[in-house]
Amino acid sequence: MSAPTLDEIRTRDAADPLNGFRDRFVIPDGLVYLDGNSLGCLPKATPDRIADVVAREWGEDLIRSWNTNDWINAPRRVGAKIAGLIGANDDEVVIADSTSINVFKVLSACLQLDPKRSVLLSERGNFPTDVYMMQGLSALSGGRVATRLVEPDDVIAALDSDAAALLLTQVHYKTGRMRDMAAVTKAAHDKGVPVIWDLSHSAGAVPVDLNASNADFAVGCGYKYLNGGPGAPAFLFAAKRHHEAVFPALSGWLGHEAPFDFDDTYRPAPGIDRFQCGTPGILAISALEVGVDLIAEAGMEALREKSRALSDLFLDLMAERCSEYGFEPACPADSAERGSQASFHHENGYAIMQAIIARGVIGDFRAPDILRFGFAPLYNRFEDVWQAVETIRTVMAEEAWRDPQFQSRRAVT
Amino acid sequence: MSAPTLDEIRTRDAADPLNGFRDRFVIPDGLVYLDGNSLGCLPKATPDRIADVVAREWGEDLIRSWNTNDWINAPRRVGAKIAGLIGANDDEVVIADSTSINVFKVLSACLQLDPKRSVLLSERGNFPTDVYMMQGLSALSGGRVATRLVEPDDVIAALDSDAAALLLTQVHYKTGRMRDMAAVTKAAHDKGVPVIWDLSHSAGAVPVDLNASNADFAVGCGYKYLNGGPGAPAFLFAAKRHHEAVFPALSGWLGHEAPFDFDDTYRPAPGIDRFQCGTPGILAISALEVGVDLIAEAGMEALREKSRALSDLFLDLMAERCSEYGFEPACPADSAERGSQASFHHENGYAIMQAIIARGVIGDFRAPDILRFGFAPLYNRFEDVWQAVETIRTVMAEEAWRDPQFQSRRAVT
């Protein structure tokens, strides 16, 4: 079966039940943006929301806003909204800090659940910050805590009585490979190992059901599919059954039972609040809330259906129109096993990506050789996919990527 | 000598060389805001700056902004500006995370400098998050690291060969007592103990010279005197001589030597960059930069001179006009030993503070019995001080604080 024509693709866009959402985002003229898995687009409602938080809540109400504008509950309020996207209860998710910091919190929490276990387990090639935080925690422990990285397919076999935590990203940032959360969690629990799911490429991209999977902890990012803005704060999930067992390693004042007692002794707040640490960044949480609301309004099932169709179309068109240019799929062929992205190996991947970016199609490059394209079904159209593949085809046919301007590495790739 | 009259005070405001700065802040009508040490006022330039970051940098330039709008260097760029306020070199300060998280980073760094030392030392009544982070780190260590709190005047005597770090807030959040940074640091170094200075109530409030004091590490807050907005990111100072010795415990990907190599092994970035962790919050850093620029433009010496005059006037007027109402100064009488604040004990402090807030004078209450007033010389006038004391006087004379509405505690005090 051949891939659809551009006319057929435009018909699909016209019939897309989510097509009204695109107009609720700022999409720069002429841009095909397939990098929402790195930084999501700006919702049109966000500038007004931030302006109001700045001018009225900060400027006029000042310190009183902690009470009158409920700033103090913002981390829980937005956390509860994210809970609804990832199969968690409202009182199991909180907004706090960065994904990296939250990884440290839940790794150190796992070490408390069974003090006889001291190995932090993950896969090679996991998103670096996850394994780096393991390594920092290990170094801090002075050798008491070890880290172990195994090949992705060997993770289950590596579960043993020393493992204190299994830390995995559900949707791999390069390959888009999606783990079976329920099956992996069960296999880990069978060996007594709690599981931490990094949902950075899942939240807002694929339906997640943490509690149906009996997950222990999770973390995730606010600035990708949740459209929370550059460096948006992250979220943390802890299953209710673990809350009271954890004495937070990052025991900041806003995780205290009574922060305004200004007591000299840390006593963890009840429940999920103990995973807060310092004073929350209100501007950033307010921006994140707008993005989360849009995802919730669209609904994860509808988003997933369109997401699968977008990435399927991309792979079909690449196979049909770019087969002679040496792109090797890096993602699973079956969309059921794939997150909301597609990726390809190519030895000239860096220069090719720069060349297509110069022509208005934005994906990103991930060392050593991966071209990565994210699909944000809230604002990406099927026609975007067509244009992206057509741009790749012409860049390859014209060998435009050979231009010297596309060879030199920028600070951020 | 009696305190000046209102006419004399207005003459002082008219002659104040900093009086032009007040108009560069949003000051709500009729409000006397003496809580800039909790949340600084909104600079008038901030809304436009944030709107531009949101609409243009995020909305239009999207992911490209990490390079084209130099987002990747924002933590260093704003850190360097703060360095100029605190006697540090440009490459010794970085914006990252919260004050609490940064306390954890530098405490764990100190533990690496001399592994034979394992006691984290601070004073009782230090700002809670500082001692809480000590306690969390100790709990995480499984007993290897201990914490010790002593009375404020016993800190020097408590320095011993077990002490791995002395963590002190330079200007105490309740009393405003200002530590002699150079003398304390020297005393600690004489015992081989590195010193961490919490500058949350110093940065932008009093001149600080970290390197002249030979300080080891420092942290501080962006949302108080630096006017960075609610929950603004914090800063971290590490003396250059310590950079290469520290393997960060919070070893996130943006503290890596080559984050975009996506390598499986953490290698600390050279210099201060290793104290970054996750992806920086660009909206919040951009807001912070506006506030820092204003402080830098005014200059710390001029700010300090006015700050001392403001707090002296407040104490003089309180002594003259409110002597019969039972307020007991909680701050040093000599402004040379005081930060940019004044505070009083009063057994009915909570209700009194609520009553004066209801009349448009905002300070804050700090348990168990402290009324606290901060002076932000960029925007506070001498007349504000007059009005504040006059409001306190009438609230006491009329016993307005007895109203039941002022007795019930709010979530945030």
Side-chain angles (χ1 to χ4, degrees):
Chain A
M1 193 183 85
S2 69
T5 64
L6 179 55
D7 277 349
E8 288 164 348
I9 283 168
R10 286 178 171 158
T11 303
R12 285 175 78 168
D13 278 323
D16 170 18
L18 295 177
N19 66 12
F21 282 96
R22 179 175 169 90
D23 192 45
R24 294 167 71 182
F25 285 85
V26 174
I27 311 287
D29 281 348
L31 205 67
V32 172
Y33 192 68
L34 301 181
D35 209 14
N37 52 337
S38 190
L39 173 63
C41 282
L42 170 64
K44 286 184 180 170
T46 301
D48 284 352
R49 173 70 183 128
I50 296 180
D52 184 57
V53 171
V54 171
R56 183 179 56 82
E57 298 189 3
W58 173 13
E60 295 293 326
D61 297 347
L62 283 160
I63 193 70
R64 298 168 290 194
S65 282
W66 286 105
N67 294 301
T68 59
N69 291 306
D70 209 30
W71 285 353
I72 195 67
N73 290 312
R76 287 292 301 275
R77 183 180 70 245
V78 182
K81 291 180 177 186
I82 291 175
L85 306 177
I86 57 176
N89 294 311
D90 287 359
D91 58 355
E92 292 178 316
V93 180
V94 71
I95 305 296
D97 302 302
S98 65
T99 306
S100 303
I101 296 291
N102 289 340
V103 165
F104 189 91
K105 292 176 187 172
V106 294
L107 285 170
S108 54
C110 286
L111 289 167
Q112 296 176 29
L113 297 182
D114 182 352
K116 294 188 302 297
R117 294 170 175 267
S118 60
V119 175
L120 306 175
L121 177 65
S122 190
E123 62 175 29
R124 288 202 187 96
N126 191 357
F127 188 76
T129 219
D130 288 2
V131 298
Y132 296 166
M133 297 311 287
M134 288 168 45
Q135 291 162 9
L137 181 49
S138 173
L140 179 65
S141 79
R144 194 172 60 85
V145 175
T147 66
R148 186 175 174 204
L149 299 182
V150 299
E151 291 303 312
D153 290 338
D154 298 338
V155 163
I156 302 300
L159 294 161
D160 63 17
S161 61
D162 292 332
L166 172 61
L167 169 57
L168 290 174
T169 305
Q170 191 204 11
V171 175
H172 193 276
Y173 77 108
K174 281 183 180 171
T175 66
R177 173 185 174 175
M178 184 161 60
R179 294 275 192 179
D180 181 333
M181 180 178 284
V184 172
T185 304
K186 180 168 188 317
H189 287 183
D190 286 348
K191 301 287 186 173
V193 183
V195 185
I196 300 165
W197 289 102
D198 183 336
L199 302 179
S200 291
H201 291 268
S202 306
V206 298
V208 175
D209 199 338
L210 287 166
N211 281 332
S213 303
N214 207 21
D216 299 282
F217 297 97
V219 299
C221 172
Y223 52 80
K224 299 179 186 289
Y225 295 96
L226 297 179
N227 304 304
F235 63 87
L236 183 154
F237 159 85
K240 200 179 292 186
R241 66 184 179 279
H242 294 316
H243 290 178
E244 301 309 312
V246 175
F247 186 95
L250 300 179
S251 45
W253 76 304
L254 279 190
H256 192 276
E257 182 181 18
F260 292 90
D261 282 1
F262 300 99
D263 190 70
D264 271 350
T265 303
Y266 183 75
R267 301 187 308 273
I272 193 72
D273 283 327
R274 69 186 56 192
F275 293 96
Q276 294 194 57
C277 185
T279 306
I282 296 300
L283 308 187
I285 293 181
S286 303
L288 174 59
E289 187 166 19
V290 177
V292 171
D293 283 342
L294 280 164
I295 291 281
E297 183 184 338
M300 283 313 307
E301 295 303 328
L303 289 166
R304 176 61 173 159
E305 186 181 335
K306 182 177 173 187
S307 158
R308 288 175 67 160
L310 286 164
S311 60
D312 275 341
L313 177 63
F314 190 88
L315 291 168
D316 289 348
L317 288 171
M318 283 293 288
E320 185 175 276
R321 302 173 71 81
C322 293
S323 58
E324 70 267 43
Y325 299 122
F327 293 99
E328 195 66 43
C331 55
D334 181 353
S335 67
E337 298 169 8
R338 202 165 65 217
S340 197
Q341 65 184 76
S343 49
F344 295 87
H345 299 281
H346 196 292
E347 60 179 338
N348 301 309
Y350 182 83
I352 294 168
M353 182 55 75
Q354 304 323 305
I356 69 170
I357 288 172
R359 295 185 182 203
V361 174
I362 299 191
D364 58 24
F365 174 76
R366 287 294 173 258
D369 69 346
I370 283 188
L371 299 104
R372 187 177 72 157
F373 302 90
F375 305 101
L378 272 181
Y379 52 79
N380 283 139
R381 299 170 305 184
F382 292 98
E383 185 172 345
D384 290 343
V385 170
W386 171 277
Q387 289 182 8
V389 175
E390 189 60 13
T391 302
I392 294 168
R393 193 185 65 73
T394 55
V395 159
M396 298 311 293
E398 298 170 8
E399 301 196 2
W401 58 271
R402 292 191 188 274
D403 191 308
Q405 70 175 305
F406 301 134
Q407 315 305 318
S408 62
R409 298 290 170 112
R410 299 163 305 160
V412 177
T413 62
Chain B
M1 189 184 86
S2 69
T5 65
L6 180 55
D7 277 349
E8 288 165 347
I9 283 168
R10 287 179 170 158
T11 304
R12 286 176 77 171
D13 279 321
D16 169 19
L18 295 177
N19 65 13
F21 282 95
R22 178 176 171 88
D23 192 44
R24 294 167 70 182
F25 286 84
V26 175
I27 311 287
D29 280 349
L31 205 67
V32 173
Y33 192 68
L34 301 180
D35 209 13
N37 51 340
S38 190
L39 173 64
C41 282
L42 170 64
K44 285 183 180 172
T46 302
D48 284 351
R49 173 72 182 125
I50 295 180
D52 184 57
V53 171
V54 170
R56 183 178 57 82
E57 297 189 3
W58 172 14
E60 295 293 325
D61 297 347
L62 284 159
I63 194 70
R64 297 168 290 195
S65 282
W66 287 105
N67 295 302
T68 58
N69 290 307
D70 209 30
W71 285 355
I72 196 69
N73 290 313
R76 288 291 302 275
R77 183 180 72 243
V78 182
K81 290 180 177 186
I82 291 176
L85 306 176
I86 58 176
N89 295 312
D90 286 358
D91 58 356
E92 292 178 317
V93 180
V94 70
I95 305 295
D97 300 304
S98 65
T99 306
S100 303
I101 296 291
N102 288 340
V103 165
F104 189 91
K105 291 176 187 172
V106 295
L107 286 170
S108 54
C110 286
L111 288 167
Q112 296 176 30
L113 297 181
D114 182 351
K116 295 189 300 297
R117 295 169 175 267
S118 60
V119 175
L120 305 174
L121 177 65
S122 189
E123 64 176 27
R124 286 199 189 98
N126 191 356
F127 187 76
T129 220
D130 288 2
V131 298
Y132 296 167
M133 297 311 287
M134 288 168 46
Q135 292 162 8
L137 181 49
S138 172
L140 179 66
S141 79
R144 195 172 59 87
V145 175
T147 67
R148 186 175 176 204
L149 299 182
V150 299
E151 290 303 313
D153 289 339
D154 298 338
V155 164
I156 302 300
L159 294 161
D160 63 18
S161 60
D162 292 330
L166 171 61
L167 169 58
L168 290 174
T169 305
Q170 191 203 11
V171 175
H172 193 277
Y173 77 108
K174 281 183 180 172
T175 66
R177 173 185 173 174
M178 184 161 59
R179 294 275 192 178
D180 182 333
M181 180 178 284
V184 172
T185 303
K186 181 170 188 317
H189 286 182
D190 286 348
K191 301 286 186 171
V193 183
V195 185
I196 299 165
W197 290 102
D198 183 338
L199 303 179
S200 291
H201 291 268
S202 305
V206 298
V208 175
D209 199 339
L210 287 166
N211 280 332
S213 303
N214 206 20
D216 299 282
F217 298 98
V219 298
C221 173
Y223 52 81
K224 298 177 186 292
Y225 295 96
L226 296 179
N227 304 305
F235 64 86
L236 183 153
F237 159 85
K240 200 179 294 188
R241 65 184 180 278
H242 294 316
H243 290 178
E244 302 309 313
V246 175
F247 186 94
L250 300 179
S251 45
W253 76 303
L254 280 191
H256 192 276
E257 182 182 20
F260 291 90
D261 283 359
F262 300 101
D263 190 70
D264 271 350
T265 302
Y266 183 76
R267 301 188 307 273
I272 192 72
D273 283 325
R274 68 185 59 192
F275 294 97
Q276 294 195 57
C277 185
T279 306
I282 296 300
L283 308 186
I285 294 181
S286 303
L288 174 58
E289 187 166 19
V290 176
V292 171
D293 282 343
L294 280 163
I295 291 282
E297 182 183 340
M300 284 313 308
E301 295 304 327
L303 288 167
R304 176 61 173 161
E305 185 180 336
K306 182 177 173 187
S307 158
R308 289 175 66 159
L310 286 164
S311 61
D312 276 342
L313 176 63
F314 189 89
L315 292 168
D316 289 348
L317 287 171
M318 283 293 288
E320 185 175 276
R321 301 173 70 81
C322 293
S323 59
E324 70 267 45
Y325 299 122
F327 293 97
E328 195 66 42
C331 56
D334 181 353
S335 67
E337 298 168 9
R338 206 167 60 221
S340 195
Q341 66 185 75
S343 48
F344 295 87
H345 298 281
H346 196 292
E347 58 178 341
N348 302 308
Y350 182 83
I352 293 168
M353 183 54 74
Q354 304 324 304
I356 68 169
I357 289 173
R359 293 183 183 204
V361 175
I362 299 189
D364 58 25
F365 173 76
R366 287 293 174 255
D369 69 346
I370 284 189
L371 298 104
R372 187 177 74 155
F373 301 90
F375 306 101
L378 272 182
Y379 52 79
N380 283 139
R381 300 170 304 186
F382 292 100
E383 185 172 344
D384 291 343
V385 169
W386 171 276
Q387 290 182 10
V389 175
E390 189 61 12
T391 301
I392 295 167
R393 193 186 63 73
T394 55
V395 158
M396 299 309 295
E398 299 170 8
E399 302 195 1
W401 58 271
R402 292 191 186 274
D403 192 307
Q405 69 174 307
F406 301 133
Q407 316 305 316
S408 62
R409 296 291 170 110
R410 298 164 305 159
V412 177
T413 61

